[in-house]
Amino acid sequence: MLVRYYHDDLRKVMVEHLGSLEILRVDAASLEKVLCDFFVKNNIPWQNLVCLLMDSCAVMRGSKTGLETRIHQHCPNLLDVDGDSCHHIHNAAKKFSEGFDGYLERLFSDLQVDHQWSPDQVMYLKEVTMILNLPVSSPQRGFVNHRWLSAYDASMATHAMMPAYQVLYYGFLSTADKELYKEPLESIFTKHNVNQTARARVEVVQDKLAKKGMTPQGRERKKRICQKLWHEETTTVLQLSLYKGVLAILKDYVMIFQGSQTLVHKLHDRQLELFLACLACFVKAEHITKLSPRALRELVLEDHMLLPSKDVYVGQEADTFRSQNPKHALLVPFLASVRKAYITTAVYLQKKLPLNSPTLIALSALDPLLRGHSQATLQLKRLSAMLNPLLPEDQDLSRELVQFSVDLTLPRYKEGDGMVDWWGHVFHQPGKYPALSSLAKCCLSIFHGPRVESSFSLTNEIIDQRSGNMNVETFNAIQTAKYVLQSRGQTAVQMFERSDSLGESFSLQDVVNDGPSPEQEVVHPEQPDPGEAEEAYHSDVEAHGIALDDDLPHITLTSENFSLSGLCEKLCVLLKFFTVQ
């Protein structure tokens, strides 16, 4: 679990590791019990939780018995920001590819596998690429089956490397096929200004590949690749053109929201723009441009709304081919598949994206560019009603909003500036905007991208073949320390530096003796419940680490207080308003 909150002293939004829990049964009821126990053990009030961001599977976000629905019983004012929209976009890319039966995806996988265990073939590919003066891109990277938008990266690389692949796999063609495609091969050489010496070298490479020993599986794989590179070249180029153009629209959205920058105020606008951009590829603009978010959510696509096949967006190369060969036999089935893919993707996005979400619309009012507009003030009031239990009761938020909308002392904000930095100026005006500051801090803590997946990269640095049996408590402590260092942009030496490091000595035995007794030990996220007999907690020298000084925003290492569990305790104290992913 990761938490996100605004740190007053550092004036930035922090992402910390709250805890890693071992779960044997994965269902909504079991997850609810584990989370409730965790919150109780660490004395974290449910009312401090602003929102949750999870996958949109039934276990997590099922409308009747999902985990988020169950958590609402403990935290009635939990904001609903929907699931992880980046996952929705990846799944939309999958829906789009279904219209073509995974034609390109199988090509990407075949190219990847064909070079993965053939270093000599990789070497020949790089040599051919340099001869043709093309950008080198390894087929071993790019496409990942469970990450469907990686098909965009693979499409870009494969399209750029297409001539090199054709030259390389020409060596695997049969004698009859080599004779058939001899002229197209010469055209590639002429187009890329390949001299006779280089052509002779290519022939040597092709001869070596033709004599290469292969398994039956490898022979079939190369046959499939040659089929798509040479025999079905037009189909392959048409689909690559389409993927490059359409998936780029989806990729742009993911690249924006999977980063670390706080952009919760852009969620509604960007999702609306994405949906409209996808519709505009195959729907007449006059039927969608003037529709409200609610109307777009309820839109039913009819035949008279759709663009004719000759005007549907298919990417630059495919559009050129369509205009030059309007009666080509491949165009009719290709354009039919394109229309089917568009409609399937649009229906999926319409269903999954919260285009008319009152919460996301209200969060848009956090944008400093909207300050001074009456609608922004109205949406901030609606936002305050959603988060009312977290706001100070003795403050007049309405008066603060009126003053805020016309405050000339606040710095000017322009597009591209850091929103968190700008709101920091509002927070640090003593007594001027107490209620508004609490409201904004709650909202700035909201997750809007798959940050929890970045923890997998840190996990790979911790768990390997030698540490595969690491227990959850140890892993939890390491993750907590790593995230603390990462969120502050410091190394362990920088964070734990002290001026008297040479003037005082201490031993780990002193630390153990000075610490609390097992009966006084506070249970923290990285420790099991001492009340459970089968998992009784015992103090361990190796489990001790660092403690947070209450007076300082950074961690100080002292001989009097040296406990890694203290780090988690301090984190729990800091979480006044936070979100969990």
Side-chain angles (χ1 to χ4, degrees):
M1 294 182 293
L2 300 182
V3 291
R4 183 180 172 104
Y5 64 97
Y6 182 83
H7 196 297
D8 283 306
D9 295 326
L10 298 179
R11 297 194 178 191
K12 60 184 293 189
V13 174
M14 312 291 284
V15 176
E16 304 273 7
H17 177 258
L18 181 61
S20 294
L21 306 175
E22 186 174 13
I23 302 174
L24 300 180
R25 184 176 179 180
V26 183
D27 56 54
S30 301
L31 291 172
E32 179 193 13
K33 183 180 184 304
V34 169
L35 281 178
C36 289
D37 292 343
F38 181 86
F39 273 53
V40 170
K41 290 176 184 178
N42 292 280
N43 195 29
I44 303 176
W46 278 108
Q47 61 266 27
N48 285 7
L49 181 61
V50 177
C51 78
L52 294 169
L53 185 67
M54 300 177 289
D55 288 346
S56 294
C57 61
V59 172
M60 293 299 188
R61 300 201 71 249
S63 60
K64 295 182 179 180
T65 59
L67 177 61
E68 187 170 344
T69 302
R70 292 171 177 270
I71 295 300
H72 267 285
Q73 301 172 8
H74 309 282
C75 187
N77 293 96
L78 195 69
L79 284 185
D80 180 13
V81 295
D82 198 67
D84 181 0
S85 60
C86 290
H87 279 141
H88 291 329
I89 305 308
H90 277 285
N91 289 333
K94 179 180 179 180
K95 290 289 183 182
F96 187 80
S97 70
E98 289 175 356
F100 305 94
D101 299 322
Y103 178 92
L104 286 181
E105 285 77 11
R106 288 194 295 272
L107 173 61
F108 301 150
S109 295
D110 282 343
L111 286 171
Q112 191 177 46
V113 174
D114 208 41
H115 289 81
Q116 188 171 5
W117 311 111
S118 301
D120 57 336
Q121 191 169 314
V122 173
M123 179 186 67
Y124 290 142
L125 176 62
K126 291 181 179 179
E127 186 177 355
V128 170
T129 303
M130 290 189 292
I131 289 174
L132 298 177
N133 196 25
L134 296 173
V136 179
S137 178
S138 174
Q140 299 177 45
R141 301 176 183 177
F143 181 64
V144 182
N145 280 314
H146 63 274
R147 268 286 180 243
W148 285 92
L149 263 180
S150 63
Y152 168 74
D153 301 310
S155 297
M156 295 293 290
T158 303
H159 182 268
M161 294 273 290
M162 186 77 169
Y165 286 137
Q166 288 182 303
V167 171
L168 184 76
Y169 281 91
Y170 184 87
F172 295 111
L173 292 174
S174 65
T175 303
D177 287 338
K178 285 181 180 179
E179 187 65 29
L180 178 64
Y181 294 110
K182 187 175 182 179
E183 288 188 11
L185 179 66
E186 290 294 324
S187 298
I188 293 175
F189 287 151
T190 302
K191 181 179 179 180
H192 293 274
N193 301 314
V194 181
N195 58 39
Q196 293 301 320
T197 303
R199 294 188 188 195
R201 173 55 187 167
V202 169
E203 290 182 6
V204 172
V205 170
Q206 292 171 343
D207 289 339
K208 290 182 178 180
L209 291 175
K211 299 175 182 178
K212 184 180 175 70
M214 291 179 283
T215 63
Q217 295 85 351
R219 190 175 295 107
E220 284 299 314
R221 184 170 55 249
K222 287 177 173 60
K223 183 178 179 181
R224 292 194 300 268
I225 294 174
C226 289
Q227 180 75 18
K228 293 180 180 179
L229 292 180
W230 282 108
H231 303 294
E232 300 174 1
E233 177 188 3
T234 302
T235 299
T236 302
V237 171
L238 288 175
Q239 292 197 24
L240 284 174
S241 171
L242 182 69
Y243 271 44
K244 284 171 53 187
V246 176
L247 297 188
I249 300 173
L250 304 178
K251 182 76 172 184
D252 288 343
Y253 179 92
V254 172
M255 292 302 294
I256 291 172
F257 287 104
Q258 73 178 4
S260 59
Q261 189 177 2
T262 299
L263 295 171
V264 65
H265 60 300
K266 296 290 187 182
L267 272 173
H268 173 70
D269 291 342
R270 291 289 186 177
Q271 290 180 9
L272 196 59
E273 290 172 8
L274 171 68
F275 185 58
L276 286 172
C278 290
L279 288 179
C281 290
F282 71 106
V283 178
K284 297 174 182 177
E286 59 267 24
H287 294 294
I288 56 176
T289 51
K290 296 182 180 180
L291 296 182
S292 65
R294 179 187 293 274
L296 283 172
R297 183 72 188 233
E298 299 171 354
L299 177 67
V300 177
L301 296 174
E302 300 177 359
D303 289 342
H304 73 276
M305 299 179 180
L306 306 182
L307 290 169
S309 296
K310 64 183 180 62
D311 296 325
V312 171
Y313 178 69
V314 290
Q316 185 176 0
E317 291 84 354
D319 186 55
T320 301
F321 179 86
R322 179 176 55 186
S323 61
Q324 293 177 351
N325 306 275
K327 298 183 179 181
H328 197 284
L330 291 176
L331 269 183
V332 174
F334 171 68
L335 293 176
S337 297
V338 170
R339 174 165 293 191
K340 177 183 176 182
Y342 273 137
I343 293 175
T344 303
T345 305
V347 170
Y348 176 83
L349 289 174
Q350 185 183 42
K351 178 182 178 181
K352 292 298 184 179
L353 294 182
L355 300 174
N356 194 42
S357 167
T359 303
L360 296 188
I361 293 174
L363 287 170
S364 300
L366 290 172
D367 193 336
L369 289 174
L370 301 181
R371 187 174 71 94
H373 197 287
S374 59
Q375 280 298 314
T377 302
L378 177 62
Q379 293 299 337
L380 286 174
K381 287 183 179 179
R382 291 176 178 171
L383 201 56
S384 67
M386 300 176 191
L387 295 169
N388 187 61
L390 296 176
L391 305 181
E393 298 179 357
D394 57 342
Q395 300 296 330
D396 187 353
L397 178 61
S398 297
R399 179 186 59 79
E400 291 182 22
L401 290 175
V402 170
Q403 184 179 359
F404 171 75
S405 65
V406 294
D407 192 342
L408 300 179
T409 64
L410 292 176
R412 295 188 62 182
Y413 180 88
K414 59 181 182 294
E415 190 70 46
D417 289 348
M419 189 183 73
V420 176
D421 294 336
W422 187 89
W423 275 102
H425 295 286
V426 179
F427 301 155
H428 294 88
Q429 297 196 30
K432 194 171 185 179
Y433 299 113
L436 178 59
S437 294
S438 296
L439 176 65
K441 289 175 183 177
C442 288
C443 298
L444 292 178
S445 72
I446 295 174
F447 280 102
H448 51 68
R451 291 298 302 277
V452 71
E453 294 187 357
S454 65
S455 65
F456 299 155
S457 299
L458 291 178
T459 301
N460 291 335
E461 298 175 5
I462 300 171
I463 297 180
D464 53 26
Q465 293 180 349
R466 292 176 298 176
S467 58
N469 293 326
M470 180 184 296
N471 60 43
V472 175
E473 291 78 13
T474 304
F475 171 78
N476 187 48
I478 295 175
Q479 284 286 74
T480 300
K482 279 181 172 288
Y483 266 94
V484 167
L485 296 173
Q486 185 183 70
S487 63
R488 287 156 177 77
Q490 292 182 306
T491 65
V493 173
Q494 291 170 330
M495 177 166 284
F496 304 140
E497 181 182 8
R498 60 176 187 171
S499 58
D500 63 337
S501 58
L502 299 178
E504 180 181 359
S505 61
F506 65 93
S507 68
L508 289 177
Q509 188 59 47
D510 294 332
V511 176
V512 175
N513 294 336
D514 289 342
S517 66
E519 292 78 13
Q520 298 172 323
E521 193 78 57
V522 178
V523 179
H524 298 290
E526 75 277 9
Q527 301 170 351
D529 183 3
E532 298 182 10
E534 67 274 17
E535 297 183 17
Y537 171 71
H538 301 282
S539 296
D540 184 2
V541 172
E542 294 182 358
H544 290 271
I546 52 179
L548 284 165
D549 190 331
D550 289 336
D551 298 327
L552 296 176
H554 59 276
I555 298 175
T556 303
L557 181 67
T558 64
S559 59
E560 290 77 21
N561 191 359
F562 187 68
S563 169
L564 183 57
S565 62
L567 175 59
C568 293
E569 180 180 9
K570 180 64 176 181
L571 177 58
C572 292
V573 172
L574 286 171
L575 299 182
K576 186 174 183 182
F577 309 124
F578 68 98
T579 63
V580 171
Q581 184 178 32

